[in-house]
Every structure is written in structure tokens, then in C-alpha cells.
Amino acid sequence: MLQYLVNGLSLGAIYALFSLGLSISWAGLNILNLAHGTVFMVGALTAWLLSEQLPGVPFLLVLVIAMVICGLIGLAMELVVFRQIRRRTSDGNQQTLTTVIATVATSSLLIAIAEQFTGGQPQGLSQDLFVVSGYTVFGIRITNIQIAIIVIAAVLSFAVAWFIKRGRQGQALRALSVDRDMAKLVGVSADRLSALTMFGAGAMAGLAGVLLAVQINAVEAHMGEALLFKAFAIIIIAGVGSIGATVAAAVALALVETFVAAYWVSDLRDVVVFALIILFLLVRPQGISSKGWQRA
Amino acid sequence: MIDWLAANAPLLRNISVLALLGYSVQLALRAGVFSFATVGFYAIGGYVTANLLKAGWNWVAVMALVIVVGFVFALVISPVLNRLRHLFLAMATLAFTLFIQSLALSWATFTGGAQGMFGVRRVLPQGAMIAIVVVVVLIVWLTQRGVLGRATSALRHDELLAASLGVNVSRQQTMAFAASSGVGALAGFVQVSTTGVFGPDDISFSTVVTSLTVLVVGGAIIWAGPLVGAILVGTLPLYLVKAGNLSLIIQAVVVLAIVVYQPEGLVGIVKYLFSIIRKPFRKKPRETTAGAPAS
Amino acid sequence: MSLLVLDDVKVHYGGVRAVDGVSFSVEPGQLCGMVGPNGSGKTTTINAITRTAKLTSGRITFDGTDIANVPPFKLRRIGLVRTFQGIRLIPDLTVRDNIRLAAEQHGHKRRKSRAGAVTPDAFSEALIERFGLSDVKNERPGALPYGTQRRVEIVRALSTSPKLLLLDEPVAGMNHAERADIANVLKELHAEGLSMLIIEHDLRMLLNLSDHLVVLNFGKLLAEGEPHATASLPDVQRAYLGGSIERD
């Protein structure tokens, strides 16, 4: 029982790291980034490539490099794709729609590149990258990577929450989410802030990618897609842009999944997740955090 | 002609399915319903067809049933979708598709699980397949004009305004979504009844990408868009074979460039060129219309 | 009987009382002006009438019908139609199609079947002709001057044959000539007996046009009555001159 709690918690921590970036870029920039799962995969892919090419590379360095690469992908998307679309279309509806389609196209580009490396096959991650060792505390087995995941996710969640709430840039981002034109008038640099947000969201997705790859010991070009489904559920449950609720929903969803798989039928996990999505859409489409800075 | 059709059967089949997928997305999109559910319905249509054909049903009956299943399923989930707008709608419908994909893997008795369904009778005659596509194109073309077409334009641009002018927004959007789902399911029927196989690979995220690619390459709103897009997406890989492994990357870059720089797609480019050529001959140059008439 | 009656209408968003207990009525054939400083609840009142803002409490009846029982898209059927603050023309459709779109939405089948009745197309053509839009009817609205776009919006609303036309700042952002132009159109319609409720920032324009004036401030009804008399009331003067007025 407690064992599942630990497993669920570490899975929830990955979900949280992944969903936060998706949620913030949606709330702040009105971008539903369907390439977010692919950026996550690039993080895992980077870890795999580094460990293959440079055996014995320090894990911390791998984490940093993966985060920077994924951050830069996010930044590139903002500069080359989103900003161009914003310049070209003034109609808000049209802009939102074109942007979503563009993220799908970006995602297919990243997957095509990734498959050049993986050969379209799942690849195992070298064990040397991070030596997983387990401890048994009060009869519960917990691995060092699980501890790392939980600690990193907790620290980052607090950092992001603080940043959004108290940080100068975070407050500016909230202003941006309410009214982009108005925010510009009061001196918010919308372009710089969008770039920063996309970089941060990308870096967090990349981090989650490395951590999950180490935990499940595998890398695959389509590994982000299943996670996207979970992140949708989390955002629908939590409401867009709410940090605390997103983390809570991520952990709750992971626990539900873990327990359904453990005590019921493993195959029913996604059925339960989908049922939760429908339930929340019917009962509370704005998510559990009704107040906040998100837009519908 | 007949020889050519026979020789190019795989290509034509591919183009037909792509076109149907593209029209499915377009039917919803042009009424302001941003739906990613097409591939989900494609999956439902495909698996239902595979099972019924294996059970010995007549293909005409299967086709009719598949369309009805698509409609009914869409009407069942539309009350949920009707409450959603824009990005929430996109997310919820994509969640639906991802869920169907996951279900296809785990519900092996109906779907064949990871292996999928194979050895289904390939019963759809080529002529019938082409007729199906032609009928769908005709329906899309006809409904893009006249009363319905104008109401659809209004819905896409401004739901609030449309409602204030008397357009029944939720009913029209539900009908658009149902039509989109029906055509999506029909695409699944055509795929299975011409190839005999259907599995998780057919309904993966890359199919979502492909269906959107067909749409944006041709033109998202214009009736001819998905057809043009399907022909391009269907034939381009044949010419990109030389590029080998890089062909997928080249394709992705081209699509991305079109989305960002030419959102109206190829049909949009052609229309633009046409308007440039025609301009000097227009009866009323724009200059004379610029001043506001006094009353 | 009054055409439109607002009875103690309240629209609250969380703690914000956008409209807080407003009652007034519009008589048939009346041109009623509604003024008030920014944020006084004018647009929210129109939104409440057209059911785009949810009533917290109160009651709105139009032509004897409680509008709470009418879905928003059917309001036009009972003769209630509005324009919006910003220009909302459909960019893909020509001027003519924008107007036809509105004319044909309700009852075009019935109109066709009645022998000798005006079809929506003929009806829109007549309006286009009458309001001097013939030259631009095949243009897309995006290319037209601002004033012309506003005119198209008003004609589009008229093509639904409304009993009451709600106009939300019909001359906002216009130059002097364009304003005068729209004012003439409104005068003409008023003379024909069309009932209108017009939100306007420009008090002077409403003084000359309207035959009833409603003044809102902080979501409440500050005053109503004969336009010139109402405008010169000390409370109204204070609300307007007390610094809260802004021109955009």
C-alpha cells in the first residue's frame, strides 16, 4: 500500500514537471503547445545520446545540457513560429488555431529528427549514466532516482509558484495573460517574456524527460504522446495556469492510476483518466481553481 | 484510363483516405469547432468495419452503419464539447483521440490489440471508393455556399455575433461536428475495406499530424483544400524517395513553413495569383469605392 | 405598453457590481439614449438585455416576453437585435453577404412560400440601395473606411427587421463627418418609427437625437427623463464633470 504511494508520488512528480510548462504557456501566452511532449522526448533523447557518445559523463551535466537544449527548442519555437504567426494574423481566433496547428507541425519535425537517431526503435539507456540503487525503509522500496525526482519536482514547483506570484517577470506574465495589448502599454515586454516562458517550459519538459528516461530506462521517439494525454487531464482538473492545483492534480492523478493498476485492471488506467476528464468537463469546466489568472 | 486507375490503385486509395481525413477536420473547423477527434472516429470506423466485414456483412450495410455510428457517437459526446471553446475544445477532442488509441491497444478482443486487425476482405470496388470521395467533396462544396455557407462563416469568425443575428450556434456546431465524425469514420471504413488491415499504427499521433497536414497544405477553409492537400501529401513521398531518411524531415519543414507563412494553403496561393491576374480587368477598381457615400 | 422593461436588474461578477439594480423602460417608437462614465455599466446592461451577461437578479421583458425564456439566438426572432462596441463584420463575406446572412437567418422559408412576399435577398438589396452601399456591396469589409463599416453593421442589424435596435457606441472612433453621417441615418430611422436604445459617450450627440435619456453611474440609474433637462441635473453634471469622464 505505502509502496504504491511512493511509486505514485514519483510518477506524479514527473507529471507535475511536465504539466506546469504546458499550463503556464497556455495561461500566459494562449498557446496550447502540442509539441510539449516531443520536447520532453528530446530531453530523454539528449540523455541517451550523451551517455552513448561520452561514456562516464556526469549525470548533473547531462541534466543541465538537456534542459538547455530543450529550453532552446522552446525559445526557437517562440521566435521562428509563434512570433511570426502573431505578426501575421490579428484575428485572435485565427491566431490561436494557427498556433496549435504549428505546434503539431513542429512536433512532427522533432519526431522525424529524433527517429534519425533512434532508427524508429525504442532504445535502452546506459546504466552507467545514473546508477540506480534502492533502499528499503519500513518495508518500502524506494530508489535514489525516485527520491531525486520527488525532490527536484517539489523544489521546482515552489520556485515556479514563487516566480509567478512574486517575481517581477511572473507578475508581468500574469498581466500579459489578461490582456496582451494592455500589458504592452504598461511597459511589459511581451516578446521577451514570451521567449522566457517558452524557454522555461521547454527546460522543465526536458528535465522531466531525462528523469523519466532514467527511471524507466528507455527512450523512444513517441514517448511524449502518452504523457500529453495525462497532462490534458491534469490541466482540465486543475484549471489553466494555477500552479498549486496543477501539482496537486498531477500527484492525485498519478496515485489514482497507480492504485487502479495495482488493485484493479492495469488496462483500465486510461479509461479512468478519460472518465475523469469527461467528469470534470461536465461538472467544472474551469477546473478546481476558479479564481486565478487563467483565461478560458 | 482504366489501366491507369488499376496500376495506381495503392496511390489512389491513399489519396482517398487522406482526403476524407482532411475533409473530416475541415467540416468541423470551418464552423468554428476546432476538433482533433477525427482520428478517434477514424479508429472507430476502422475497427467497426474490420469486425463487421469479418463477420460476413455486406459492405454497403457496413458503410451505412459506420457513418451512423460516427454520427451517433458524435451526438453523444457533443453535449460535453458544446460547453468548451477554442483551446479547451482542441484539448478535449485530442484527449478523446488519445483515449481511443489507448483503448485500441488494450481492448484486444475487438481491436486485435497491438497486432491490429488483418486479413479483412478487401471488398470496396475502386469505383465506389472514388464515388465516396466525390460525394463528400460535393457535399462540402455545396454547404460552403448559400445560406448554410454564410452562417458557417459567421460561426467560424464570431459566435456571439452569429447568435445575435439568429444563428443557432450550438445546433449548427453540433451538426458540423457530427458531419466531421461521420466522414472521419467513413475514412476508417475506406481504409479497412481497401487494404484489409487496420492497427494501432494507423491511428497513432502521426495520423493526427497527417490529417492536419492535408488540411493546411491544401487550404483549411476552402472546399478544394483537402483534396489538393491529399493529392500532394499522397504523391510527394514518391518524389522524395531520393532524399531517403531525410524525406520526413523535409516534409515536416515544408508543412511548418506553410502553416506559418501561408496559412491559406496552396489553394490560397493559387487564388491570390488568380486575383493578381484578374485585377486590371475588374469592372470597379477599388479606388472608386474608397469614399464613404453620403446619405 | 412599454416595448422593453428592465426591472431591478443586477449583474454581479464576483464582487464587482457591474449593474446594480437598474430599472427603466423603452416605449415603442422611442429613441432612448443611455449615457454614463466608463465602467458605469452601460454595455453590461445591453449584454444583459441580449443575454450575453447573466442576470444576478431582476427581470427584463421585451414586448411582453420575459427574455429569460428566450435563448440568445431567438432574440432576433422576437425583434431584438444589437450591434457591438467594436466592428464585428465577417471578413470573408462581402458587404452584401454580411447583410444577407442576417436577413436570411430567420423565417426565410416562410417568406419564400408566401406568394408575393419579399425574399431575404430582395430585402437586403433594397436596404443596400437605400443606405447607399451599392457601390461597395461586392467588397470585403476589411478594405472599407471605418465609417462605411459602421454603416454596414447598422444596415445588417436592420435587415433582421427589428422592433428594437440596440446600438453600442455607434459613432465611437469616427471623425466629425462620419458622425454626422451616422446621426442622419439614425434620425431617419427614428422618423420612421423604429425604436432604438443607443449607448453613447458623446452626450451632445444624444441630446440632439434622443427623446429619452437614461444616465448610469456605478451600475445604478442616476437619472432619466427628457434629455436636456436630465443632462442639466446637478448629479448628472457632477458624474460627468467630476473627473470620472474619459474620452477614448
Side-chain angles (χ1 to χ4, degrees), chain B residues 3 10 26 45 51 100 120 148 167 170 229 256:
Chain B
D3 290 344
Q26 187 184 54
N51 279 287
I100 296 286
V120 182
L148 200 57
V167 179
S170 66
L256 190 56

mmCIF file of all heavy atoms in Angstrom, chain B residues 3 10 26 45 51 100 120 148 167 170 229 256:
data_model
loop_
_atom_site.group_PDB
_atom_site.id
_atom_site.type_symbol
_atom_site.label_atom_id
_atom_site.label_comp_id
_atom_site.label_asym_id
_atom_site.label_seq_id
_atom_site.Cartn_x
_atom_site.Cartn_y
_atom_site.Cartn_z
ATOM 1 N N ASP B 3 -6.726 1.315 -67.143
ATOM 2 C CA ASP B 3 -5.414 0.740 -66.836
ATOM 3 C C ASP B 3 -4.677 1.578 -65.818
ATOM 4 O O ASP B 3 -4.076 1.069 -64.882
ATOM 5 C CB ASP B 3 -4.550 0.648 -68.119
ATOM 6 C CG ASP B 3 -5.098 -0.408 -69.060
ATOM 7 O OD1 ASP B 3 -5.904 -1.233 -68.578
ATOM 8 O OD2 ASP B 3 -4.735 -0.388 -70.252
ATOM 9 N N PRO B 10 -2.935 1.625 -55.233
ATOM 10 C CA PRO B 10 -2.494 1.974 -53.869
ATOM 11 C C PRO B 10 -2.420 3.485 -53.658
ATOM 12 O O PRO B 10 -2.815 3.994 -52.611
ATOM 13 C CB PRO B 10 -1.099 1.354 -53.768
ATOM 14 C CG PRO B 10 -1.044 0.329 -54.838
ATOM 15 C CD PRO B 10 -1.922 0.826 -55.935
ATOM 16 N N GLN B 26 -11.895 19.559 -41.750
ATOM 17 C CA GLN B 26 -12.400 20.824 -42.286
ATOM 18 C C GLN B 26 -13.869 21.068 -41.952
ATOM 19 O O GLN B 26 -14.247 22.184 -41.616
ATOM 20 C CB GLN B 26 -12.211 20.864 -43.809
ATOM 21 C CG GLN B 26 -12.569 22.221 -44.379
ATOM 22 C CD GLN B 26 -12.490 22.264 -45.887
ATOM 23 O OE1 GLN B 26 -13.094 21.450 -46.566
ATOM 24 N NE2 GLN B 26 -11.719 23.194 -46.410
ATOM 25 N N GLY B 45 -14.359 3.909 -36.875
ATOM 26 C CA GLY B 45 -14.836 3.440 -38.172
ATOM 27 C C GLY B 45 -14.040 2.242 -38.655
ATOM 28 O O GLY B 45 -14.598 1.254 -39.157
ATOM 29 N N ASN B 51 -14.375 -5.613 -37.949
ATOM 30 C CA ASN B 51 -15.148 -6.657 -37.268
ATOM 31 C C ASN B 51 -16.357 -7.098 -38.071
ATOM 32 O O ASN B 51 -16.643 -8.296 -38.184
ATOM 33 C CB ASN B 51 -15.585 -6.166 -35.884
ATOM 34 C CG ASN B 51 -14.475 -6.303 -34.868
ATOM 35 O OD1 ASN B 51 -14.154 -7.406 -34.435
ATOM 36 N ND2 ASN B 51 -13.849 -5.193 -34.525
ATOM 37 N N ILE B 100 -8.956 6.867 -27.403
ATOM 38 C CA ILE B 100 -9.344 5.804 -28.330
ATOM 39 C C ILE B 100 -8.115 4.975 -28.725
ATOM 40 O O ILE B 100 -8.162 3.745 -28.817
ATOM 41 C CB ILE B 100 -10.035 6.398 -29.582
ATOM 42 C CG1 ILE B 100 -11.347 7.088 -29.211
ATOM 43 C CG2 ILE B 100 -10.274 5.323 -30.638
ATOM 44 C CD1 ILE B 100 -12.484 6.165 -28.874
ATOM 45 N N VAL B 120 -8.787 -8.868 -43.407
ATOM 46 C CA VAL B 120 -10.177 -8.480 -43.645
ATOM 47 C C VAL B 120 -10.409 -8.503 -45.155
ATOM 48 O O VAL B 120 -9.514 -8.169 -45.937
ATOM 49 C CB VAL B 120 -10.437 -7.061 -43.089
ATOM 50 C CG1 VAL B 120 -11.891 -6.677 -43.279
ATOM 51 C CG2 VAL B 120 -10.043 -6.973 -41.622
ATOM 52 N N LEU B 148 -26.340 28.250 -45.717
ATOM 53 C CA LEU B 148 -25.560 27.487 -44.752
ATOM 54 C C LEU B 148 -24.105 27.953 -44.734
ATOM 55 O O LEU B 148 -23.485 28.076 -43.680
ATOM 56 C CB LEU B 148 -25.635 26.004 -45.114
ATOM 57 C CG LEU B 148 -25.297 25.026 -44.006
ATOM 58 C CD1 LEU B 148 -26.185 25.255 -42.804
ATOM 59 C CD2 LEU B 148 -25.440 23.604 -44.509
ATOM 60 N N VAL B 167 -28.380 32.916 -35.633
ATOM 61 C CA VAL B 167 -27.838 31.598 -35.969
ATOM 62 C C VAL B 167 -27.859 30.738 -34.699
ATOM 63 O O VAL B 167 -27.375 31.165 -33.656
ATOM 64 C CB VAL B 167 -26.391 31.708 -36.493
ATOM 65 C CG1 VAL B 167 -25.836 30.337 -36.815
ATOM 66 C CG2 VAL B 167 -26.330 32.612 -37.702
ATOM 67 N N SER B 170 -25.189 26.454 -31.166
ATOM 68 C CA SER B 170 -24.850 25.117 -30.670
ATOM 69 C C SER B 170 -25.393 24.037 -31.597
ATOM 70 O O SER B 170 -24.741 23.024 -31.826
ATOM 71 C CB SER B 170 -25.343 24.932 -29.241
ATOM 72 O OG SER B 170 -26.734 24.948 -29.209
ATOM 73 N N GLY B 229 -4.586 18.997 -50.937
ATOM 74 C CA GLY B 229 -3.637 18.576 -49.915
ATOM 75 C C GLY B 229 -3.400 17.074 -49.944
ATOM 76 O O GLY B 229 -2.260 16.596 -49.844
ATOM 77 N N LEU B 256 5.514 23.086 -41.851
ATOM 78 C CA LEU B 256 5.651 24.150 -40.858
ATOM 79 C C LEU B 256 5.728 25.519 -41.544
ATOM 80 O O LEU B 256 5.086 26.481 -41.121
ATOM 81 C CB LEU B 256 6.903 23.902 -40.008
ATOM 82 C CG LEU B 256 7.071 24.783 -38.768
ATOM 83 C CD1 LEU B 256 5.859 24.673 -37.876
ATOM 84 C CD2 LEU B 256 8.323 24.385 -37.998
#
